[in-house]
Amino acid sequence: MDWHLVGGGAKGAVHIGVLQAFKEEGINIDYISGTSSGSIIACLYACGYNPYNILHMFNLYCKQIADYDKMLPFKVLGTMFTGRLSIKGLAKGDRLEETIRNFCIAKNIKDISDFKIKIAIPTVDLNTGEVIYYLNKKVDETFINRDFDDKPSYKYIGNIASIVRSSCSFPAVFEPKAFDSKILIDGGVRVNTPVSILKGMGADKVIAITFSKNDYCKTYTNNIVSISLRSFDIMTHQVNESEVQKADYVLDMKTENISLLDSSKTNELATIGYNYAKRNIAKIKQIIEFQ
């Protein structure tokens, strides 16, 4: 079975619950893709970590969101004198990248080409708007989404920690990542639900996880970050509709009133994902049996 993990900040913890449900049901995953926080879980799963370990590590990731740039107050002050806004993001992302690097090295993984499981992680070139997929298997481009007026690029090598950080570089929260001679940002800007890339890599049946389009948090509008997150949330539902339609089955998660940055709810979110997967397991197994 093949699986896509949607981005969603702290909400990405629902994927961990689904992983646990699949493990209990004996469902194996051969291909996996993930955007933003989904790329973290996809990476850790591909490394060979179990859901319990991944939940612990994901909680560490959520703490990195609060790893604000210590120079931020001085940059704001400097803006008052120069008139130039030099703030690229609230958090630099260095600690997140280092955390991922340490977990991967513990499993002898440094480069995306080191994974045995087939994996794909999208990022976006900030300068050109181009989608860049980092993956470890050649792609049949006839499967790739043609709704956009440009072609994505494919990279088959690259430091996995830097790739994950790039895919997690949510605008205004994390600074863009300078990597591979490009300035990269969150893959969810263009492809928050990368289903077709798995089809192009050879996946037969793809199960996708999304968040309900009516799923929202009433506290989204209380500051500039929450407003940006909600705006991004609205945008990606429309942008990724055609990708979602390419999945063989969609687990449409409902996490109403839980913010994308609410790191206190990760265990609750994992439980939501677990229970939802269990309720749908018979349908998922039926799809797998018809491969």
Side-chain angles (χ1 to χ4, degrees), residues 70-97:
K70 294 180 176 57
M71 294 300 294
L72 191 60
F74 299 100
K75 292 177 180 178
V76 173
L77 184 62
T79 299
M80 297 172 60
F81 293 99
T82 65
R84 296 179 180 178
L85 187 62
S86 61
I87 301 169
K88 299 177 181 179
L90 298 179
K92 294 179 69 65
D94 293 342
R95 285 180 58 190
L96 170 60
E97 184 172 357

Side-chain angles (χ1 to χ4, degrees), residues 215-228:
D215 193 11
Y216 66 96
C217 178
K218 293 178 181 178
T219 60
Y220 266 119
T221 56
N222 63 0
N223 59 62
I224 188 171
V225 174
S226 60
I227 292 171
S228 297

Side-chain angles (χ1 to χ4, degrees), residues 1-3 19 22 27-32 45 117:
M1 201 228 8
D2 316 302
W3 190 25
L19 276 175
F22 285 178
I27 297 175
N28 296 316
I29 298 169
D30 302 308
Y31 292 73
I32 193 167
Y45 179 84
I117 188 173

Side-chain angles (χ1 to χ4, degrees), residues 202-219:
D204 186 18
K205 302 292 184 180
V206 177
I207 309 299
I209 296 178
T210 64
F211 296 111
S212 172
K213 64 181 179 180
N214 296 319
D215 193 11
Y216 66 96
C217 178
K218 293 178 181 178
T219 60

Side-chain angles (χ1 to χ4, degrees), residues 3-7 32-36 120-122 131 133 187-188 190-199 206 208-209 240 243-244 246:
W3 190 25
H4 157 69
L5 311 179
V6 70
I32 193 167
S33 66
T35 301
S36 197
I121 298 174
V131 177
Y133 286 104
R190 292 285 304 273
V191 190
N192 201 39
T193 313
V195 173
S196 61
I197 187 66
L198 293 184
K199 297 278 188 176
V206 177
I209 296 178
N240 289 287
E243 280 286 306
V244 173
K246 292 178 173 64

Side-chain angles (χ1 to χ4, degrees), residues 103-167:
F103 287 133
C104 289
I105 289 176
K107 296 289 187 177
N108 296 315
I109 302 291
K110 293 183 179 179
D111 194 277
I112 195 165
S113 61
D114 293 334
F115 288 117
K116 293 181 180 179
I117 188 173
K118 302 300 182 290
I119 187 171
I121 298 174
T123 65
V124 173
D125 185 331
L126 181 61
N127 291 321
T128 66
E130 176 188 31
V131 177
I132 303 173
Y133 286 104
Y134 286 90
L135 60 169
N136 61 350
K137 185 181 179 182
K138 293 292 182 180
V139 175
D140 180 350
E141 295 189 39
T142 60
F143 286 91
I144 305 304
N145 195 337
R146 299 297 181 185
D147 293 342
F148 299 118
D149 59 1
D150 59 347
K151 284 187 174 182
S153 293
Y154 307 100
K155 304 283 187 177
Y156 298 96
I157 58 172
N159 181 281
I160 185 59
S162 296
I163 292 168
V164 170
R165 174 181 169 179
S166 299
S167 189

